[in-house]
Amino acid sequence: GENVEQHPSTLSVQEGDSAVIKCTYSDSASNYFPWYKQELGKRPQLIIDIRSNVGEKKDQRIAVTLNKTAKHFSLHITETQPEDSAVHFCEASRGGGNKLTFGTGTQLKVEL
Amino acid sequence: GAGVSQSPSNKVTEKGKDVELRCDPISGHTALYWYRQSLGQGLEFLIYFQGNSAPDKSGLPSDRFSAERTGGSVSTLTIQRTQQEDSAVYLCASSLGPTPDTIYFGEGSWLTVV
């Protein structure tokens, strides 16, 4: 089955700096790679996703890059703000009816 | 409904008791997932339902855990003879179809076994 590793487990940045979180996956057939944000005591919510037919996707301050050859994908947050502070999870799946495999999460803290 | 609804939001039970956790997915969503999240930990897959297909039960940790989905909508996760290590947040999620459709999580059911 799929195995997803996520690094770092914790990340502290100063407000306005950039943050990068990386995930690697094992199943070369995986083709869908979303990122979720979970604020303390809240439900995880999708913030951005990418499919295997593209290498990068951007939505305002958030971007995701995918390297299928190396089997890794990354979340990039620019101009970080305090409200970015949360646990961020990556996920990889084949699509078409399979269980979802999540990374172990990154606790992002944006300091003033 | 507006989102995925779970009940109860909090449950404290004595070791050895059975508990039932309920999930109401978004109307029309065919895929339903159960995950477990221990304090400060990641998302552990439990079970996945897709339409009328046989569920993927490969994540259920023991035979004390079972889940069903009646009429392709509401799902119930049952834990028999609860143990302290079962204490966690149980998250349900649904999506319109199988991935890569976006999944939506419920608020979770926080289970504490004392």
Side-chain angles (χ1 to χ4, degrees):
Chain A
E2 177 67 277
N3 182 48
V4 178
E5 295 188 357
Q6 183 172 346
H7 299 282
S9 57
T10 60
L11 178 60
S12 292
V13 299
Q14 294 294 314
E15 183 180 10
D17 286 351
S18 295
V20 181
I21 303 170
K22 298 181 179 179
C23 286
T24 60
Y25 61 98
S26 61
D27 186 352
S28 58
S30 287
N31 55 18
Y32 179 59
F33 309 93
W35 286 88
Y36 294 85
K37 174 184 178 182
Q38 185 178 29
E39 297 176 1
L40 189 62
K42 302 289 187 181
R43 72 186 81 190
Q45 292 188 302
L46 178 73
I47 56 173
I48 195 167
D49 58 10
I50 193 169
R51 288 163 172 74
S52 60
N53 57 345
V54 296
E56 183 174 0
K57 182 178 179 181
K58 190 174 182 180
D59 182 4
Q60 299 181 14
R61 297 186 298 107
I62 297 173
V64 55
T65 58
L66 172 64
N67 184 325
K68 287 213 71 180
T69 302
K71 291 191 283 189
H72 67 70
F73 57 110
S74 299
L75 177 69
H76 304 253
I77 305 174
T78 59
E79 301 172 26
T80 53
Q81 301 170 3
E83 52 263 38
D84 294 327
S85 295
V87 178
H88 292 74
F89 291 98
C90 63
E91 187 252 300
S93 61
R94 288 189 178 190
N98 286 279
K99 70 181 184 183
L100 313 173
T101 303
F102 290 86
T104 48
T106 296
Q107 176 71 64
L108 174 63
K109 183 177 181 181
V110 179
E111 299 175 332
L112 298 173
Chain B
V4 178
S5 178
Q6 291 188 245
S7 62
S9 55
N10 285 285
K11 175 73 175 179
V12 179
T13 189
E14 292 181 350
K15 177 181 174 182
K17 300 283 190 182
D18 297 352
V19 297
E20 285 190 351
L21 308 177
R22 176 187 169 105
C23 173
D24 280 278
I26 294 172
S27 179
H29 279 197
T30 63
L32 188 147
Y33 309 81
W34 282 98
Y35 281 81
R36 178 167 71 174
Q37 187 174 33
S38 301
L39 188 63
Q41 300 299 309
L43 298 165
E44 177 188 3
F45 169 76
L46 296 177
I47 189 168
Y48 164 59
F49 297 90
Q50 174 56 55
N52 296 321
S53 301
D56 179 350
K57 302 180 181 180
S58 61
L60 295 178
S62 76
D63 59 7
R64 297 186 296 106
F65 288 74
S66 62
E68 62 178 21
R69 189 180 185 191
T70 54
S73 181
V74 173
S75 177
T76 301
L77 176 68
T78 301
I79 309 172
Q80 296 178 311
R81 305 180 303 280
T82 52
Q83 304 294 313
Q84 288 185 330
E85 59 263 30
D86 299 335
S87 297
V89 177
Y90 289 82
L91 287 163
C92 176
S94 72
S95 61
L96 187 60
T99 57
D101 282 352
T102 300
I103 65 169
Y104 299 87
F105 283 89
E107 292 283 4
S109 291
W110 187 285
L111 174 65
T112 303
V113 182
V114 298

